[in-house]
Amino acid sequence: MSNCSLEENVYKMRNDELIGLAKNRFLPDNVQLAIAKTGYTRSHWYLAENEGLSPAVRDFMWSDECNRGYSLKSQLLTYGQYKDPQKYEELYERYPSAWRRSPWRMMATFLGSYHNRPQHCPPEILNRIYDDKFRPVLAMRTSSGYRSYGDFSTYELERLARHPNVDLPLAIKLSTCGHSTAEQSAFAKIVELS
């Protein structure tokens, strides 16, 4: 079957066939684009994970023409399809409600996931995440004596402290956060950056 007929028949495929194609890293650009133009969200997610995703298809998937929400955009960033700091800033600025709706997804996108994905989040955004998301909860926990971390887990605070793009101002903030493991990582980062 030629690429042309494969591209022309994508709209006829079942969901499992679309997923199988989307996982194929040797897929030609025109077939990737045909899959991206289908309305099947799971095939979009598998394309976002595909290390052979073409830049043109990646840009189409980021566009509002393909998907206006934050899920696919965060998936593209999580799997290292973009290394551009502006994309992280755009996602952070444009979808503030995503932190309430899918905190686990946003943490994986900005701080890295459990699977050692590439972490390209710029230091400026990491500082804003600490100031906007972590610091208010830590302050509330300290003032009330309550032992819970509320909106995030201690593991996520540790992930932030271990992020390779932590800069000196953030390391200093983290060194007084009140969580021993995160503070140790922050002190190590301060020594490394000094």
Side-chain angles (χ1 to χ4, degrees):
M1 184 179 274
S2 71
N3 288 340
C4 183
S5 64
L6 182 61
E7 176 188 5
E8 292 170 356
N9 290 305
V10 163
Y11 78 96
K12 297 178 187 175
M13 293 183 181
R14 298 185 318 259
N15 292 346
D16 61 330
E17 293 171 329
L18 287 172
I19 288 172
L21 271 180
K23 290 179 178 181
N24 187 334
R25 61 192 166 132
F26 302 109
L27 207 58
D29 296 0
N30 60 342
V31 179
Q32 288 180 4
L33 186 59
I35 293 169
K37 288 185 176 182
T38 67
Y40 188 47
T41 304
R42 282 191 60 206
S43 67
H44 293 172
W45 288 348
Y46 283 108
L47 272 177
E49 294 176 20
N50 190 329
E51 63 188 47
L53 185 65
S54 83
V57 176
R58 174 199 67 192
D59 293 342
F60 172 75
M61 291 172 61
W62 184 273
S63 74
D64 287 344
E65 181 183 347
C66 180
N67 187 332
R68 290 193 174 113
Y70 62 87
S71 296
L72 184 56
K73 291 172 176 62
S74 67
Q75 190 85 349
L76 287 164
L77 290 175
T78 300
Y79 284 91
Q81 299 296 349
Y82 284 104
K83 295 163 180 62
D84 181 6
Q86 293 174 336
K87 293 298 184 184
Y88 285 91
E89 188 168 346
E90 180 182 339
L91 183 67
Y92 189 82
E93 290 291 326
R94 192 169 168 197
Y95 301 99
S97 67
W99 289 91
R100 285 188 315 280
R101 298 172 72 194
S102 298
W104 58 271
R105 180 184 304 278
M106 301 311 280
M107 292 291 182
T109 300
F110 290 98
L111 305 182
S113 70
Y114 301 103
H115 305 293
N116 297 328
R117 301 284 178 221
Q119 299 174 346
H120 305 288
C121 186
E124 300 80 26
I125 298 295
L126 293 174
N127 272 284
R128 291 179 62 194
I129 290 170
Y130 180 78
D131 292 339
D132 297 346
K133 310 299 177 204
F134 287 91
R135 181 177 273 173
V137 174
L138 290 168
M140 182 175 54
R141 179 181 180 268
T142 303
S143 66
S144 68
Y146 190 59
R147 302 292 301 165
S148 172
Y149 282 95
D151 295 342
F152 60 89
S153 70
T154 56
Y155 179 73
E156 290 159 339
L157 185 61
E158 293 168 17
R159 276 197 296 177
L160 175 62
R162 287 191 316 262
H163 197 283
N165 294 341
V166 168
D167 60 1
L168 190 57
L170 181 55
I172 292 169
K173 293 179 209 174
L174 285 164
S175 69
T176 61
C177 71
H179 183 274
S180 61
T181 307
E183 286 178 350
Q184 289 171 0
S185 297
F187 283 125
K189 193 68 168 182
I190 290 170
V191 169
E192 176 188 325
L193 295 172
S194 296

